[in-house]
């Protein structure tokens, strides 16, 4: 079988899976190649096997980073190396190993070739015999080493008594338990669908869907029925089939409002079905927790609560590396200050605990098939990079380091929230106190936060809400004066909230003047439609009719989409009617000259005509019966004003 191999992609994989050899013409080099091939076949780390690449040398560039040098092999040299390696694999390895051999063009010299031996992990323990002595070899980091003591025991146990869970044949499931549509979509996404093969071609115990991945099915039992392997069923199985055959292979996703589970209410999701679907739904739910806190006074104004990449890697690790034979689900628990992801299963035997806790351990896989295919689906980064990526992205975002709790039968990854999001939790507490009517407590907590962050608009909005409920605009007025607030540093919505509360105090003109000044600043910025309407209502209370008319006209020019807002037309119409009233008063005043009276009545009729057009528009765009009834009352009053302003016959 021919595989599509990308040398650049091989270069990005961890060293446990790839061995680079400049050539292979020396007998000792051939022996080392064959020892590495037997180590890949032993596959103690459950990678699925590995690659030995001849004709390429791994060096370092001037900065010390890994760099590949493609030396290449001539045609004669390639055939010689291939023949000697295969002979040693047959004669010196027990049981013999037959690697898959492929030739690739040298990307730097078309006269030579690159020789690749592809080795699949097997269910056997392979020993290498050199003369009278023989030994078992395994892959440890960048090296092929002889398996001794506990490592040898582990290898023999795994190979002779146990089979990796993901590659086991399920004893009762059949081909009908596979979701063909899901399988097709995943194959297409991984780029593994080829025009010369149908989906059914892969539903066999011979055909592989990708390199280093075992065939999806096996034949077993007296009836030799074709049955899916565990990884096939968990990745591509029907939801009902997975629930029946693996009832604990699901995720419990819980969200608590506080820092522990004592909250009276919580949000809970049970995620079932294919582990691919579980992974995507988990990532979607976790992404909702990675919201941003804004702080304009900070050098980094936008700060996410959790790095999305860290969340994704943590949950993918939990799914890929869990022990599916432990009758427990994965548990993802969101608290206000952290996220905990618990995965059933002990730490892999070959992982150094201290290195693991610091994010520096070499990768070891419990379920190689899951890891490989999740990488192909781009649900995970390059193989073995999950834990380092979590540490790196948390550090880059300024979050505290992740921690891991390693139990006897579970591993829990704990991701602390960014410190800035502590304020988000306090804001939630203030809001809860407002709901419960504990306004004085809520106000004191809000003022405490404002002492440390005066321009946090969420805190200011909550403080305004408390003052409004207590009907104490004087407190807000004093707060603004004492703090000497810079209105241009606040967002328009907050400014409108402040101005609206100040209009409650009608006896003091200073309140109206301040509200008017705040509104003028707010209206100079970009605000939403609902806030525009709110601003016009407040402006009509404290501003002049001319201010309202000009502002609505400017809004219609700036935001054409708002020319269907009934309230804006209604407020402009009533502002024009207010001006018309002033004209009527001037026209009736006996102290006015005849010329002034004439002009007043003419201007009155003009304003009423314009107001009538606005009210007609408002009636046309009104959404409900009450709004229409309110506008119709204005129209009735306008008709009376028109009669008063008629020219004498």
């Amino acid at each position: 079988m021919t595989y599509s191999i990308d040398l650049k992609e091989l270069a990005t994989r961890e060293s446990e899976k790839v061995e680079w050899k400049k050539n292979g013409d020396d007998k000792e080099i051939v022996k080392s190649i064959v020892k590495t091939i037997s180590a890949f076949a032993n596959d103690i780390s459950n990678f699925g096997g590995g690659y030995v690449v001849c004709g390429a040398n791994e060096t370092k560039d001037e900065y010390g980073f890994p760099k590949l040098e493609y030396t290449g092999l001539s045609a004669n040299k390639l055939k010689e190396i291939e023949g000697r390696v295969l002979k040693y694999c047959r004669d010196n390895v027990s049981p013999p190993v037959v690697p898959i051999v492929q030739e690739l063009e040298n990307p730097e010299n078309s006269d030579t070739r690159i020789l690749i031996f592809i080795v699949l992990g097997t269910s056997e323990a392979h020993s290498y015999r050199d003369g009278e002595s023989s030994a078992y070899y395994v892959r440890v980091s960048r090296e092929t080493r002889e398996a001794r003591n506990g490592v040898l025991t582990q290898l023999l146990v795994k190979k002779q008594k146990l089979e990796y869970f993901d590659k086991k044949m399920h004893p009762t499931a059949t081909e009908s338990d596979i979701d063909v549509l899901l399988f097709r979509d995943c194959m297409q996404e991984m780029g593994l669908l080829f025009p010369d093969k149908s989906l059914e071609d892969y539903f066999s115990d011979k055909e592989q869907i990708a390199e280093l991945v075992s065939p999806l099915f096996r034949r077993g039992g007296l009836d030799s029925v074709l049955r899916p392997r565990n990884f096939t069923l968990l990745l591509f199985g029907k939801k009902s089939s997975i629930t029946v055959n693996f009832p604990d292979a699901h995720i419990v996703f819980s969200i608590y409002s506080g820092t522990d589970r004592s909250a009276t209410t919580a949000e809970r999701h049970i995620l079932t079905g294919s582990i691919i679907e579980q992974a995507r739904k988990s990532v979607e739910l976790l992404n909702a927790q990675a919201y941003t806190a804004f702080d304009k006074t900070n050098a980094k104004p936008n700060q996410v609560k959790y790095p999305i990449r860290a969340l994704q890697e943590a949950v993918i690790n939990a799914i890929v590396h869990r022990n599916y034979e432990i009758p427990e689900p994965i548990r993802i628990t969101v608290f206000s200050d952290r996220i905990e992801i618990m995965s059933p299963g002990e730490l892999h035997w070959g992982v150094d605990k201290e290195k693991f806790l610091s994010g520096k351990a070499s990768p070891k896989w419990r379920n190689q098939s899951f890891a490989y295919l999740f990488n192909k689906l781009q649900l995970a980064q390059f193989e073995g990079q999950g834990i380092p990526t979590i540490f790196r992205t948390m550090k880059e975002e300024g979050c505290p380091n992740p921690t891991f709790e390693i139990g006897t039968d579970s591993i829990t990854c704990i991701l602390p929230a960014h410190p800035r999001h502590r304020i988000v939790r306090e804001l939630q507490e203030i809001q809860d106190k407002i709901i419960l009517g504990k306004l004085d407590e809520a106000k004191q907590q809000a003022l405490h936060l404002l002492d440390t962050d005066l321009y946090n608009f969420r805190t200011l909005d909550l403080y305004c809400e408390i003052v409004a409920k207590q009907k104490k605009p004087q407190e807000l007025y004093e707060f603004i004066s004492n703090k000497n607030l810079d209105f241009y540093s606040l967002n328009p919505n907050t400014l409108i909230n402040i101005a609206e509360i100040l209009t409650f105090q009608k006896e003091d003109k200073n309140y109206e003047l301040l509200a008017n000044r705040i509104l003028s600043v707010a209206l100079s910025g970009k605000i939403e439609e609902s806030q525009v309407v709110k601003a016009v209502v407040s402006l009509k209370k404290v501003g002049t009719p001319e201010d309202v008319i000009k502002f609505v006209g400017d809004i219609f020019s700036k935001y054409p989409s708002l020319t269907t807002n009934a309230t804006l037309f209604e407020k402009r119409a009533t502002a024009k009617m207010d001006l018309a009233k002033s004209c009527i008063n001037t026209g009736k005043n006996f102290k006015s000259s005849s010329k002034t009276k004439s002009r007043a009545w003419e201007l009155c009729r003009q304003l009423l005509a314009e107001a009538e057009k606005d009210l007609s528009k408002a009636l046309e765009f009104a959404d409900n019966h009450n709004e229409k009834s309110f506008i119709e009352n204005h129209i009735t009053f306008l008709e009376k004003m028109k009669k008063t302003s008629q020219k004498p016959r």
Side-chain angles (χ1 to χ4, degrees):
M1 181 175 182
T2 301
Y3 296 108
S4 176
I5 296 177
D6 186 338
L7 288 173
K8 290 183 178 179
E9 182 184 346
L10 282 186
T12 63
R13 296 187 179 182
E14 67 283 342
S15 55
E16 289 197 35
K17 290 187 65 174
V18 185
E19 176 80 4
W20 305 93
K21 293 292 184 183
K22 189 174 182 179
N23 52 48
D25 51 357
D26 183 87
K27 183 178 180 181
E28 294 304 316
I29 295 178
V30 171
K31 288 182 179 181
S32 69
I33 290 174
V34 177
K35 289 177 182 179
T36 298
I37 288 174
S38 68
F40 284 145
N42 283 334
D43 193 24
I44 194 169
S45 295
N46 198 21
F47 279 114
Y51 307 81
V52 178
V53 183
C54 298
N57 189 32
E58 190 177 30
T59 61
K60 292 185 178 181
D61 61 17
E62 62 270 26
Y63 302 106
F65 294 107
K67 175 186 175 183
L68 280 182
E69 179 186 38
Y70 298 104
T71 54
L73 300 170
S74 65
N76 291 337
K77 184 67 67 177
L78 187 147
K79 290 299 180 185
E80 178 187 345
I81 295 171
E82 178 183 344
R84 293 175 71 181
V85 168
L86 293 180
K87 183 178 185 302
Y88 269 77
C89 286
R90 181 178 64 251
D91 298 341
N92 292 59
V93 179
S94 179
V97 176
V98 183
I100 300 168
V101 182
Q102 282 195 211
E103 298 177 19
L104 295 181
E105 288 190 4
N106 186 341
E108 296 179 359
N109 184 354
S110 59
D111 293 335
T112 60
R113 295 288 187 271
I114 306 294
L115 177 64
I116 300 178
F117 295 98
I118 303 172
V119 187
L120 300 179
T122 73
S123 59
E124 300 287 345
H126 299 272
S127 63
Y128 175 80
R129 185 178 64 260
D130 190 359
E132 297 298 322
S133 64
S134 65
Y136 294 90
Y137 288 88
V138 293
R139 193 72 173 168
V140 179
S141 188
R142 293 176 175 269
E143 300 178 2
T144 296
R145 295 182 185 175
E146 183 180 344
R148 297 177 180 175
N149 303 324
V151 176
L152 177 58
T153 301
Q154 184 69 29
L155 173 65
L156 295 176
V157 168
K158 284 182 175 293
K159 293 297 182 178
Q160 295 178 359
K161 297 182 180 180
L162 294 174
E163 187 177 14
Y164 286 114
F165 167 83
D166 57 329
K167 296 186 175 76
K168 285 182 182 178
M169 179 189 73
H170 195 278
T172 59
T174 63
E175 185 178 339
S176 63
D177 290 297
I178 304 303
D179 186 333
V180 179
L181 293 179
L182 174 63
F183 176 68
R184 181 201 63 190
D185 292 343
C186 290
M187 289 288 286
Q188 190 169 5
E189 192 172 342
M190 291 186 288
L192 299 175
L193 278 183
F194 301 101
D196 59 333
K197 290 184 180 180
S198 65
L199 291 178
E200 289 71 19
D201 289 339
Y202 292 108
F203 285 26
S204 75
D205 57 345
K206 306 293 184 186
E207 194 73 29
Q208 296 170 252
I209 63 173
E211 58 194 48
L212 306 188
V213 177
S214 302
L216 299 177
F217 291 81
R218 275 175 58 181
R219 294 189 184 276
L222 296 175
D223 52 7
S224 295
V225 172
L226 198 64
R227 300 192 185 279
R229 297 178 189 264
N230 286 337
F231 82 85
T232 309
L233 187 57
L234 282 167
L235 284 167
F236 310 119
K238 296 176 181 176
K239 185 175 183 178
S240 57
S241 299
I242 295 174
T243 302
V244 169
N245 292 298
F246 298 106
D248 297 301
H250 63 271
I251 297 175
V252 178
F253 193 111
S254 305
I255 304 175
Y256 292 90
S257 57
T259 58
D260 55 40
R261 293 177 173 82
S262 63
T264 54
T265 58
E267 182 180 337
R268 178 161 295 182
H269 305 268
I270 306 297
L271 311 181
T272 58
S274 159
I275 60 173
I276 295 173
E277 296 169 321
Q278 291 182 37
R280 286 174 171 157
K281 183 61 179 176
S282 298
V283 170
E284 179 185 332
L285 290 170
L286 284 171
N287 284 351
Q289 302 300 321
Y291 50 82
T292 302
F294 300 93
D295 183 358
K296 293 183 179 180
T297 64
N298 196 285
K300 192 174 183 181
N302 304 339
Q303 182 61 63
V304 295
K305 188 172 185 179
Y306 303 98
I308 290 177
R309 191 73 206 180
L311 296 175
Q312 180 175 341
E313 290 295 337
V315 75
I316 296 303
N317 271 349
I319 293 171
V320 167
H321 298 298
R322 72 155 287 179
N323 185 340
Y324 284 88
E325 295 176 294
I326 293 178
E328 280 289 330
I330 292 172
R331 298 185 185 276
I332 302 174
T333 310
V334 179
F335 298 101
S336 60
D337 62 345
R338 69 193 185 283
I339 293 176
E340 297 183 358
I341 301 175
M342 188 280 286
S343 177
E346 70 288 351
L347 189 65
H348 193 286
W349 67 269
V351 175
D352 182 277
K353 182 177 179 180
E354 296 305 318
K355 288 185 177 180
F356 177 84
L357 293 173
S358 62
K360 298 177 181 178
S362 298
K364 299 288 187 297
W365 287 346
R366 181 176 279 113
N367 306 299
Q368 179 271 337
S369 306
F370 297 155
Y372 186 89
L373 294 175
F374 266 63
N375 175 253
K376 283 287 187 182
L377 288 165
Q378 297 184 354
L379 288 169
Q381 285 194 332
F382 293 121
E383 303 138 52
Q385 295 301 308
I387 302 299
T389 298
I390 295 172
F391 274 87
R392 176 177 54 79
T393 53
M394 292 288 281
K395 182 178 180 180
E396 288 173 353
E397 287 294 339
C399 296
N401 279 337
T403 58
F404 293 87
E405 293 181 354
I406 301 176
T408 55
D409 58 359
S410 69
I411 298 175
T412 302
C413 174
I414 303 172
L415 303 175
H418 190 278
R420 187 183 299 174
H421 285 262
R422 175 187 57 81
I423 192 173
V424 176
R425 186 172 73 252
E426 290 205 47
L427 292 175
Q428 183 65 54
E429 291 174 3
I430 294 171
Q431 198 164 41
D432 291 344
K433 289 175 181 177
I434 293 173
I435 293 171
L436 297 173
K438 300 178 180 180
L439 298 181
D440 287 332
E441 288 183 30
K443 183 163 62 178
Q444 289 305 313
Q445 193 170 357
L447 288 171
H448 175 72
L449 287 180
L450 289 171
D451 283 340
T452 58
D453 189 359
L454 182 58
Y455 292 96
N456 187 297
F457 69 89
R458 291 187 180 90
T459 314
L460 275 171
D461 286 341
L462 287 173
Y463 177 65
C464 288
E465 184 179 351
I466 296 166
V467 170
K469 285 180 177 292
Q470 292 182 328
K471 298 181 180 179
K472 294 180 178 180
Q474 68 277 10
E475 286 193 13
L476 181 59
Y477 183 85
E478 291 171 3
F479 176 83
I480 293 169
S481 303
N482 293 336
K483 297 292 185 181
N484 195 24
L485 275 180
D486 177 11
F487 300 135
Y488 288 96
S489 297
L490 296 175
N491 68 60
N493 294 344
T494 301
L495 290 173
I496 291 168
N497 289 337
I498 293 173
E500 185 179 35
I501 294 170
L502 292 176
T503 60
F504 294 166
Q505 182 64 274
K506 300 182 182 299
E507 292 77 16
D508 193 333
K509 282 292 181 183
N510 290 325
Y511 285 69
E512 290 190 8
L513 290 173
L514 181 58
N516 204 1
R517 183 158 67 91
I518 291 172
L519 282 172
S520 66
V521 175
L523 300 176
S524 65
K526 186 175 181 180
I527 50 180
E528 299 174 357
E529 180 175 354
S530 61
Q531 294 299 323
V532 169
V533 173
K534 190 175 180 181
V536 171
V537 173
S538 298
L539 185 63
K540 197 162 187 312
K541 293 178 183 177
V542 297
T544 64
E546 290 93 334
D547 292 336
V548 176
I549 294 168
K550 181 179 183 306
F551 173 67
V552 174
D554 291 343
I555 286 296
F556 285 159
S557 299
K558 191 175 181 181
Y559 306 107
S561 62
L562 298 185
T563 54
T564 59
N565 188 288
T567 303
L568 295 181
F569 279 111
E570 182 262 327
K571 294 303 176 188
R572 188 169 71 171
T574 54
K576 291 176 179 178
M577 290 168 65
D578 289 340
L579 289 178
K581 288 178 190 176
S582 299
C583 292
I584 291 174
N585 292 335
T586 301
K588 289 181 176 181
N589 191 333
F590 70 93
K591 293 182 180 180
S592 301
S593 66
S594 58
K595 192 172 183 180
T596 300
K597 289 181 180 181
S598 175
R599 175 59 184 156
W601 289 114
E602 180 183 347
L603 185 57
C604 176
R605 289 189 287 272
Q606 179 183 332
L607 287 167
L608 291 175
E610 293 175 4
E612 186 174 24
K613 290 180 181 178
D614 281 349
L615 288 175
S616 297
K617 288 281 188 183
L619 192 63
E620 177 185 349
F621 298 129
D623 291 329
N624 56 68
H625 175 73
N626 290 335
E627 193 175 11
K628 289 181 179 180
S629 177
F630 189 68
I631 296 169
E632 287 169 352
N633 289 337
H634 283 311
I635 293 174
T636 301
F637 186 73
L638 184 137
E639 291 297 329
K640 292 179 181 179
M641 293 181 69
K642 284 172 63 178
K643 289 180 181 179
T644 303
S645 64
Q646 285 179 350
K647 287 184 178 181
R649 292 179 181 274

